[in-house]
Structures are given as C-alpha cells and as structure tokens.
Amino acid sequence: MKFYKDHYDVIVIGGALAGLSSALMLADKGLDVLVLERHNLPGGIATSFVRGGIEIEAALHEMMSIGPEGNRLKVGKFLEDMGVFVDWLKVPEAYHASLPGIEVTLHPGLETFAKEVDREVPGTYDKVLKLLNLCHTVFDSVNELSIHPMSKPMMLLKHEAFVKTAGYSTAEVMDTFDLPQKARDLLAPYWIYVGSGFKDLPFTIFAVLMADYIGYGSYIPHKFSHEISLKMAERAEAMGVQIEYRQHVEKILVKDGKVYGVRTARGDEIHADYVISAPYPNKVYTSMIEPISEVPEKALKMVNGRRLSLTAFSVIMILDKPAQELGIKDYSIFIGDTMDTDELYKDLAGLGPYRYLTCICHNYGNPDATPAGTCSFSITTLPRVDGWKTVTADEYDAVKHRVAEQMIDDMSKYYGVNLRDHILEIVIETPMTVAHYTGMWNGCIYGYAHTMEDHIVARLQTAHEEKFIEGLEFAGAHQISGDGMGPAVTNGRKAAKNVLDDIKAKKEAAAK
Amino acid sequence: MKVKGFLKDVGGASRVTKARLSAFENASPIPVKEDPIGNVAREWHPGKLELVVQDIYPVSPTAKTVRFVRADGKQLPPFYAGQFISLEFNVNGEIVSRPYSLSSAPYEARQENGYVEITVRKSKGDGFIADYVNNELKVGDHLLGNVGLGQFYYEPLRDAKRVMALAGGVGITPFASMAKEIAHGTLDMDLTILYGSVSSDDIILKDQLAALTCDRVKVVHVLSGDEPNWTGERGFLSAELIEKYTEGDTSYFICGPQVMYKFLRGEIQKLNVPQRRVRFEVFGQAKDITTFPGYPLEKRDEVYTVTVRRGTHEDRIPAKATESLVVALERANIRIDTACRSGECGFCRTKVLAGDYYVCPENDGRRGADKDFNYVHACAAYPLSDMTIKIPIE
C-alpha cells in the first residue's frame, strides 16, 4: 500500500504553529508540501483538551503580534494573508501585578500604561513613556530588519536606537533611565516569558516584548489555541498540503551534504528536496541525521554552545464557581515576592517552591471559556529544564503533586479562598507532559535562552553560517525569533523564506 | 541616543556577535544525546507494548483474571490505580481493541517481575471479546497493550480523602486496583466500596477484596437478586444506601454497566452533593445506538459505503448505520488507533470529508473547533449516509 507521493518539494517535520506557517507559505507559492506530525492533531502545545465535558486551553496565555481587526500586526496579518481567519478576542488588560508593595492592574497602550505606572509611582510618567517609546522604536527596527537586512552604516543611520542598544543587557539600558525600583518592578513582569535575568537578557528582546504586548495588547482565540492550529491545518490542506498525523519521523536522510528525505517510525522512506525540522537541532544533529557522519563538528559545537531555555509547569483548573465569587478579578496576574529577575532566574533552575507565578483566568478574555457557574484558572511557572532533568520516573508523580500543591496553596492564600474546595477538574502539565505530547527535546518549549552570549542580533548576523546541511531548515522556538506562539509563526515563515530563496538562487544559477 | 558612549554603543552588535561565535568555538564537539525529561515521559507513556499472557485464573464462577508481562522482560510503566489498558486482540484475523480497567495495582507493575492484570466476565451473549478472553485466550499468547490510560483515578488535590466507590458487576476492577494500592500503603485515601451484583455467584474478586479489607478499605456487597440465604445489603445502590455508608466529605467514584449509570445519576442527584465530588468512569461503547435521542430510526437497517483515505491511498468499506466507524474499520481490517472507545480520549480522531453521521451524545468528547470542522471520534460516530473520511496511517 502506498500512502505517499514519490517525491515532495518540501517535507515539514512537525505540524505545530511554526511548521504549519512554513507549509502555508510554501503552498501559497505553489510548492508540493508534506507535513508529518507525531500527534493525532495539529498544534503541538497550541491545543486544547476536554475533561469532564469541558474544553480546556493547554498552553496559551495571550498571543502577541496579532493587533486589532483592520490593523493587524505581523502574525495576525500573515494568518489573514494566508486565508486563516481566527476569531480573535482582545485580552482586556496587560496584567495585574502583585509584587512587594504593589497591587495594581495595568492596561495596554504606551501612554495609558505610563500613566498607570505614574499613579503608583508619581513623577515617573516621562521616563517610563520614554523607555516604552525606545522599546517601540527598537521593535519597529527589528520588524523591518528581519525582512529587509541592510548594511551597518545604513542601519546606524536609519535604526540608531536599535544599533546603539544592541550590545546591552536589559539591566544596562534600564539603568540609564534612573527609575525608582518600584517603577522598574512594574515594568518587569512579562520577563517570565523570556526568562533570562535582566543582567543577561538582551535589551532588544525586552524591547520587542514590551512594545508588542504593551503597545498593542494581546489576543486569544475564541475556541482556544486549537482553533488557530486547526484553522491553519485546514487551510493548508485546502491549499494542497498533505498532512499526516501520528507519523513520527526518526531519520532525516542526507547524502553528500544534501538532504533527500526522511524515514518514519512506521518505516516509510519519503523523498523531498527540502526538509524543515521542528525537532531541536540538538536532536537532529545527534540522532536524526542519517548517516550521522554527515553532521559536521561545527554543528555539534553550535548546539553544545547554546543553553536550553525554559519549559512549563502549569496547574490548570476548572473551578466550580464564577471567578468573581472566588475573588479572581483579572485575566492575568503576575505574582511574586520579589521582582529581582536575576534571583528568580536562579529559582527556576530548581524544583520549587517557585516564587514567581503567572495566573490566567480565561473567562475574563473569553466569557464562553467554561460553562455557566464555573471558571478556568491556571497557575504557571516557566522553570528551566535543569531541575526537571534530575527527576526520575518513580519520583515524578510525587514531585509534580508537591509543586502543584504549593502553587495552589500560594494562590489560595492570596485570594483568601481555599481553591482546593472548588476544583471540578485539574490537570497538571509538566515538562514531561510537553515531552510526551510533542516530543520536544527535554520538554523545552522555549528554544535556546536569550542571553548576551546568544543574542538575537548575533543570531541574525550569523544565521547564514549556521546551515550545515543543504536543504535542511529548522522551524520552532529554537530559531531566531525565539519562543512563544507569535514568534513560532515568524520562525516558520523564515524557514519557508529560506527554502524559497534557495530555490530562486538555484534557478538563477541554472539560467546562467 | 546614548547608553554608554558612542563608540561602545555602536560596537554593540559586533561585540555580541563575537561573544556568540566564541561561545560556539569553545563548546565541546561531543554529541550530547541525553534527553532525561523525554525519557521519563517515555517511561510513563511508552505507547503500545508487546505483552505476553503469563497466567489466567478464575476469580468467580463467571469471571477470569488475565495476567500480562512485557514480552521484552522490561519494567512496565507506572500508572494510577483506576486507569485502564487498551488491548488489541486478534480474533480470527480481525484486530479489535478493547479498554479494560486494570484490576492489578500500580505497585505490582513496578515491582520485580512486575505484571498487570485485567478481570473479564463471561458475557451474556453480547460481548464477543469478553467471550474470547474467557474461552480462547491462553497463556503464552502475545498481544499489544497500551497501559495506564484514562482519567478515572484518585486525584489528591481535587478529591475528598474519603472515596465511596459505587461499583456494578465488572465495574469493580478499578476499585480492586485502588484497594490493593491502599492496602500496600502507597495510596493515601480511604475507600468504601458499595458493590452491586445480581447474585453472590456474580461477585467478582470476592475473596481478593475480602483479603484487602482494613481500616482504610471497606467492602459492602449489595445483591439485587432474590437470594434467600443472603444476610447482607439488598436491592440497588440507592441514595438511601449510599447515605447510610457515607461519613463526612466524600467523593463518589462510579463504574459499572450503562443501565447503572442512568439509575445512579438520579440517585446521586438526590444526595445533593457538589458536582466536583462525583466522578463517572467513561460510558463505554453504546450497547444499542438506536435508543439514544435524535438517532434516526428509519436508517437503522442501512449499510453505507465509507471511503477511507489514508495518505494518498483510498479504500471503500461497508459500514452499518448502527455500528461506529471504528467497528466498520476493524471489520474491514483497517487499523485505527483507539483506546477508551467512549469518545473521550480522542485517539481515533477522524476527519469527515463528506457525508452525514450521528454522534452518540453520551460520548461526544470533541473539541469545539473540531466540531466546527467535521472531526469526529470514530468510536462514537455512526454513518448516516455514504461517507468519505481521513484517518492516520497506522
């Protein structure tokens, strides 16, 4: 029995947001694309599940780079250009911050946000707005330069703020604004989504994150992130992409430095000119390339020279009362006993208790999120993989429950309500859960850490030198734009663009 | 625009690029394959395992326990007491899968020479796999099994420490697993089992349960049939009886035949306990789909043609309006992954490309967006016209 064509232009390994973005863009240019996804539905962690008849979001807190209808940002616009129309709902606030001496809800809009910070820390309006505007300028430059690279002198002329802040950490740039600690703390909570301490986090990353989230607000899909994944998959199939679920790719086949196909666990050998891989370069270069002798030493040094970033630990609950009755008042709340990000970063290398938590109550962004009389409430921390790597299968359940219990207790204390008296459904997602459903290397959903040694500006500068096998591209959080569902789409587009550029270059060379 | 001075500022991009390249230069070239987090995930969820029947022994006049070990001699995965195994039986060349709650305890799987067990009752003529297990399966047989599935287990962060099990017939098995784990000291909960049977001959695992009775495990047998010498509880698992044995904050766990579910839903309502304290094991494959609301009775005798797409390959198979798409696929020898066969787990998620279908309302565990785009869980979907579906290649 034959299930595949003799040849495809491109095989995409992994049908999550990055891979599906690649597939959409390639199919849009008329290429013959096969997507192989190991799970039985698209999306990776951009998905949902059903417990006790209630659909529950698996991972998404809020999505950046979407923008309002009629004025979509990068990711929102790409999806619509591809014919993917998601029913986006605007998240009503930026976040509620509960930090030492701070209890405030902040809203998106650079000026609104600066005003709200000023209300808490009087006299800071101008400085905070100036910092946010700087973030916005850097954000605009990153967006433009990622599409239209230019010479260094030209960059300095046109993207001065971007160039001049590129060599500094978030702490170094923030220091020049001379803000009181409390104002700095109020600007820091989204930090958890990028996860290096401010002393090691490139300012460029902080700027992009702040400008996107604070400047434009964030969005969630009406029917959970499965709506995004499924609509992308459906659209891709309508455009002629073949998507096969439950196909686990074990090997990427290479000959004379060039990719020619893949082999699945089922034993199918499928041929293509290009392969786009969602599996981490760590996995690809250590166990997927066949023969392994095709992997150059430089590729191994590169993956060994990078540090894996964050994974996720979430306690997701359906509670048996409406949020208001339990004292839950906000869509998202960041809570911690310190906002010293360098301290917190160390904390994330362990196995709890975690001192900095993110809670989401989807009902405030999506009134249909749960049945009447109930609400959804999740508590998340984004630990580094280091601590979890030490947990054995026999310890796993006890560790998972200990960490989850601590998180529920912390939030119960905060609300003055024992949340455990209201749990209709509970799901504890761990790094192992991520590994189980997605096969992600060490359960790491956040790619490589953004650090001063692995800076996004450096990544952009040297990307062309990091291709070790012809025809092999990568799409996932491990790529230039990094982690998060929005960046996943951008990473997928970039992989597709690399394929399209290569095809074009080969055609031009052939014409000569 | 100035951070630290013009030259230092404009040199930033080169500085970070050099830092990155030198980090790579100084890194080791030795491949690091270790994925310990992935390894734990694979140890818990290894997927389908090749199992061997090690022992078969009677546990009542009407039921047998089957013990399985791994064919490769490796350790079985951890699971939670109450979870099930999905087994693939080869019956006259037809591969048919069935979920069975594990009647053995998790510690028995993890100990040296570990094993898992299921307990199966002879059918009353309506279960060909139950009959196959009781009559034909033999020691030494090999089959594939996926161990540790489902959501029917004690969750300490959610459930009351005191659990009352309401079991009917072969629905005792998940509670037998819990009772063993409690008695072994590795499950911290109190369990009272109200176990309904028709006659004392129907009681499954009677001696085993009696041996497990302790401070934390109580078993109350309830007979509904007319048995003159019976001195224990009689009748059904009524609200009155449940109340009689309830002490304080209690979670009710219910597992049994479909008729019992319908009855107990009413009884539970009378008890006025919060919804979060009541947990039903999945419903199981509908015994007679034509009895469910909205099923179009005029189509009950129809046999349709279903075009099954797997990759670029297509097959056409017959499918009865009263049998689920999974059953039609199994009859046609087309592999599809299934587990709970109750529409909950979603293993058999299938795209409907064309045609009409009916979804069993008791077993509709689909995501909202899946419903919008015509995905079904094939174990709970019934053809109402010729159809075209797409399923994963197995």
Side-chain angles (χ1 to χ4, degrees):
Chain A
M1 239 175 276
K2 205 168 157 302
F3 299 113
Y4 299 99
K5 298 177 193 170
D6 292 331
H7 182 267
Y8 296 86
D9 293 323
V10 185
I11 293 172
V12 178
I13 310 172
L17 299 191
L20 290 172
S21 299
S22 300
L24 282 165
M25 195 164 145
L26 295 167
D28 188 53
K29 299 287 182 218
L31 269 64
D32 198 0
V33 182
L34 170 68
V35 177
L36 298 170
E37 163 57 44
R38 72 200 293 280
H39 198 16
N40 73 344
L41 74 173
I45 62 166
T47 194
S48 65
F49 49 85
V50 176
R51 284 285 183 282
I54 301 172
E55 188 168 351
I56 301 173
E57 170 63 42
L60 181 62
H61 282 188
E62 52 230 336
M63 192 132 160
M64 67 197 305
S65 310
I66 298 301
E69 200 173 342
N71 187 26
R72 294 286 190 219
L73 297 180
K74 189 165 64 174
V75 172
K77 184 168 184 308
F78 168 75
L79 291 175
E80 291 187 359
D81 287 349
M82 290 294 119
V84 177
F85 295 93
V86 175
D87 185 5
W88 294 112
L89 306 173
K90 190 164 197 303
V91 170
E93 74 235 6
Y95 48 79
H96 180 93
S98 176
L99 302 166
I102 293 173
E103 205 61 65
V104 63
T105 304
L106 301 169
H107 296 83
L110 301 186
E111 284 167 27
T112 307
F113 191 89
K115 265 183 212 158
E116 287 174 342
V117 173
D118 187 68
R119 211 172 291 151
E120 292 294 305
V121 196
T124 56
Y125 179 79
D126 289 339
K127 284 181 188 172
V128 168
L129 189 62
K130 198 176 157 206
L131 174 59
L132 291 175
N133 280 329
L134 171 64
C135 290
H136 200 275
T137 308
V138 171
F139 170 70
D140 283 343
S141 296
V142 169
N143 281 336
E144 203 188 321
L145 291 168
S146 61
I147 302 166
H148 305 292
M150 57 179 73
S151 69
K152 279 182 190 168
M154 218 28 198
M155 260 206 274
L156 184 56
L157 205 64
K158 292 201 163 173
H159 299 280
E160 188 198 345
F162 166 76
V163 172
K164 287 188 172 174
T165 55
Y168 298 113
S169 69
T170 304
E172 284 173 304
V173 176
M174 267 224 191
D175 284 347
T176 68
F177 283 83
D178 194 25
L179 284 163
Q181 191 55 44
K182 196 172 168 187
R184 285 178 74 129
D185 287 353
L186 280 170
L187 287 161
Y190 279 139
W191 154 84
I192 190 74
Y193 295 136
V194 283
S196 285
F198 276 7
K199 281 186 187 145
D200 201 27
L201 179 71
F203 176 73
T204 317
I205 292 296
F206 175 78
V208 167
L209 183 80
M210 292 299 278
D212 202 324
Y213 272 140
I214 305 292
Y216 300 94
S218 57
Y219 291 79
I220 52 169
H222 189 198
K223 293 193 175 169
F224 310 98
S225 50
H226 182 56
E227 179 186 343
I228 314 174
S229 311
L230 186 59
K231 283 183 171 171
M232 289 174 80
E234 287 288 317
R235 178 67 187 143
E237 286 187 307
M239 288 163 83
V241 174
Q242 183 182 345
I243 303 180
E244 297 303 334
Y245 296 107
R246 287 180 55 72
Q247 302 311 313
H248 182 192
V249 174
E250 286 188 335
K251 296 292 174 191
I252 297 171
L253 309 173
V254 180
K255 198 178 175 202
D256 302 330
K258 191 181 179 323
V259 116
Y260 70 94
V262 302
R263 190 164 53 249
T264 65
R266 228 185 70 85
D268 295 299
E269 183 173 315
I270 316 164
H271 293 165
D273 296 331
Y274 295 88
V275 170
I276 295 178
S277 168
Y280 273 61
N282 304 57
K283 186 167 178 184
V284 169
Y285 292 134
T286 58
S287 56
M288 287 179 75
I289 299 287
E290 184 176 286
I292 201 74
S293 57
E294 289 280 356
V295 178
E297 190 177 283
K298 265 191 123 176
L300 293 168
K301 289 181 87 147
M302 181 190 79
V303 296
N304 288 341
R306 307 186 79 174
R307 191 166 83 213
L308 284 182
S309 183
L310 307 176
T311 175
F313 186 99
S314 279
V315 183
I316 304 176
M317 293 174 282
I318 301 296
L319 303 174
D320 70 354
K321 283 217 157 66
Q324 296 87 335
E325 285 185 35
L326 296 167
I328 300 167
K329 299 191 193 76
D330 301 280
Y331 177 84
S332 74
I333 164 164
F334 292 96
I335 180 165
D337 60 8
T338 174
M339 201 63 256
D340 180 336
T341 56
D342 297 288
E343 270 302 303
L344 291 172
Y345 185 63
K346 286 179 206 151
D347 189 50
L348 294 180
L351 290 168
Y354 296 111
R355 296 159 68 195
Y356 187 73
L357 304 174
T358 306
C359 305
I360 298 286
C361 176
H362 272 108
N363 302 70
Y364 284 106
N366 176 10
D368 303 332
T370 63
T374 66
C375 70
S376 90
F377 187 69
S378 67
I379 314 171
T380 298
T381 188
L382 300 173
R384 290 158 63 180
V385 295
D386 313 54
W388 287 88
K389 275 180 168 182
T390 65
V391 177
T392 65
D394 286 312
E395 296 163 343
Y396 169 68
D397 184 59
V399 174
K400 158 174 138 170
H401 274 90
R402 173 174 57 71
V403 174
E405 183 172 7
Q406 175 81 44
M407 286 163 66
I408 298 172
D409 285 354
D410 284 350
M411 291 317 297
S412 293
K413 267 181 218 138
Y414 177 72
Y415 288 118
V417 171
N418 189 356
L419 296 174
R420 285 182 60 182
D421 291 341
H422 297 281
I423 302 173
L424 261 183
E425 296 294 337
I426 179 170
V427 173
I428 306 167
E429 291 178 351
T430 70
M432 284 69 171
T433 315
V434 173
H436 171 52
Y437 284 105
T438 69
M440 278 309 184
W441 181 253
N442 275 298
C444 182
I445 56 171
Y446 272 45
Y448 300 109
H450 289 290
T451 65
M452 295 306 288
E453 277 201 342
D454 193 357
H455 195 296
I456 184 164
V457 171
R459 293 180 187 182
L460 283 163
Q461 301 260 342
T462 59
H464 58 283
E465 291 169 30
E466 286 159 24
K467 283 191 188 175
F468 304 107
I469 289 167
E470 201 186 329
L472 175 62
E473 298 289 341
F474 289 89
H478 39 71
Q479 293 308 294
I480 292 174
S481 298
D483 54 84
M485 291 193 194
V489 170
T490 306
N491 283 327
R493 289 173 70 185
K494 179 71 178 150
K497 186 174 182 296
N498 290 349
V499 168
L500 294 169
D501 287 351
D502 195 64
I503 291 172
K504 197 173 156 208
K506 286 203 173 110
K507 269 191 193 151
E508 281 169 7
K512 277 176 197 165
Chain B
M1 168 76 229
K2 189 183 98 174
V3 183
K4 288 188 176 173
F6 183 79
L7 285 179
K8 193 149 192 244
D9 291 359
V10 297
S14 312
R15 208 159 56 239
V16 295
T17 304
K18 269 186 211 134
R20 185 163 183 269
L21 292 177
S22 92
F24 292 175
E25 200 44 52
N26 296 330
S28 155
I30 296 162
V32 181
K33 291 188 187 181
E34 284 73 33
D35 176 8
I37 292 175
N39 291 345
V40 171
R42 283 181 285 273
E43 197 168 341
W44 272 77
H45 306 287
K48 289 177 190 171
L49 298 172
E50 193 180 344
L51 304 173
V52 191
V53 177
Q54 193 191 49
D55 195 9
I56 301 178
Y57 56 95
V59 289
S60 82
T62 58
K64 283 178 181 170
T65 289
V66 184
R67 177 176 292 187
F68 300 94
V69 294
R70 266 178 87 152
D72 60 11
K74 290 187 186 156
Q75 194 177 30
L76 284 152
F79 66 94
Y80 296 112
Q83 285 192 304
F84 67 85
I85 180 173
S86 174
L87 284 166
E88 282 187 11
F89 298 93
N90 185 335
V91 184
N92 306 323
E94 194 180 308
I95 307 283
V96 181
S97 99
R98 284 287 184 278
Y100 285 101
S101 296
L102 291 158
S103 53
S104 59
Y107 80 87
E108 294 173 306
R110 298 295 283 176
Q111 70 194 3
E112 211 175 317
N113 303 317
Y115 53 84
V116 289
E117 290 179 339
I118 61 167
T119 298
V120 183
R121 190 158 69 169
K122 278 182 200 155
S123 81
K124 289 164 184 159
D126 57 350
F128 83 108
I129 291 295
D131 291 335
Y132 174 83
V133 172
N134 268 282
N135 305 330
E136 292 182 47
L137 194 69
K138 55 188 186 306
V139 171
D141 280 0
H142 282 235
L143 55 173
L144 294 178
N146 198 340
V147 178
L149 301 167
Q151 310 303 324
F152 193 68
Y153 54 86
Y154 174 71
E155 167 48 67
L157 296 173
R158 176 197 59 207
D159 300 320
K161 188 145 247 169
R162 197 181 297 275
V163 170
M164 181 173 286
L166 305 174
V170 80
I172 190 65
T173 49
F175 306 120
S177 177
M178 290 180 199
K180 279 186 190 175
E181 195 73 11
I182 295 167
H184 184 250
T186 37
L187 180 56
D188 182 18
M189 63 184 269
D190 297 299
L191 182 67
T192 299
I193 303 173
L194 293 195
Y195 182 14
S197 303
V198 178
S199 68
S200 51
D201 274 358
D202 282 335
I203 298 172
I204 297 167
L205 297 166
K206 191 179 182 184
D207 299 339
Q208 289 86 342
L209 288 168
L212 292 166
T213 301
C214 59
D215 290 0
R216 308 198 77 178
V217 178
K218 292 190 180 66
V219 183
V220 179
H221 291 286
V222 185
L223 293 193
S224 60
D226 190 21
E227 197 161 300
N229 300 328
W230 182 252
T231 54
E233 296 288 355
R234 287 175 179 275
F236 294 108
L237 305 183
S238 63
E240 205 185 346
L241 194 69
I242 295 166
E243 260 182 335
K244 179 177 165 186
Y245 287 95
T246 296
E247 294 172 57
D249 187 18
T250 301
S251 281
Y252 298 91
F253 276 56
I254 298 145
C255 185
Q258 290 173 6
V259 284
M260 186 184 108
Y261 278 24
K262 286 179 187 164
F263 171 73
L264 275 179
R265 275 188 196 130
E267 297 306 294
I268 289 284
Q269 210 154 25
K270 293 181 200 162
L271 295 174
N272 206 19
V273 293
Q275 192 190 339
R276 70 195 164 87
R277 289 292 184 236
V278 183
R279 306 200 69 79
F280 282 85
E281 174 55 304
V282 292
F283 191 72
Q285 192 162 281
K287 289 272 177 281
D288 178 1
I289 194 63
T290 65
T291 61
F292 286 83
Y295 183 87
L297 287 170
E298 68 279 8
K299 298 199 169 178
R300 64 191 307 165
D301 297 321
E302 300 287 338
V303 180
Y304 299 108
T305 299
V306 175
T307 303
V308 182
R309 203 175 281 176
R310 287 176 290 165
T312 54
H313 180 86
E314 270 187 12
D315 293 286
R316 276 170 229 286
I317 64 167
K320 291 181 188 172
T322 50
E323 287 184 348
S324 75
L325 290 169
V326 157
V327 172
L329 289 162
E330 284 177 344
R331 285 193 192 284
N333 250 324
I334 294 178
R335 301 294 292 268
I336 181 165
D337 196 35
T338 75
C340 74
R341 297 181 82 107
S342 301
E344 185 196 58
C345 72
F347 277 35
C348 59
R349 181 176 178 268
T350 293
K351 169 78 176 179
V352 176
L353 294 161
D356 301 326
Y357 53 89
Y358 174 80
V359 173
C360 177
E362 282 288 345
N363 287 341
D364 192 356
R366 292 177 293 166
R367 298 165 181 84
D370 274 354
K371 287 182 193 170
D372 295 346
F373 283 93
N374 266 324
Y375 283 80
V376 295
H377 295 171
C379 68
Y382 298 77
L384 296 180
S385 74
D386 288 345
M387 294 178 78
T388 303
I389 62 174
K390 186 178 184 229
I391 61 169
I393 306 157
E394 293 297 325

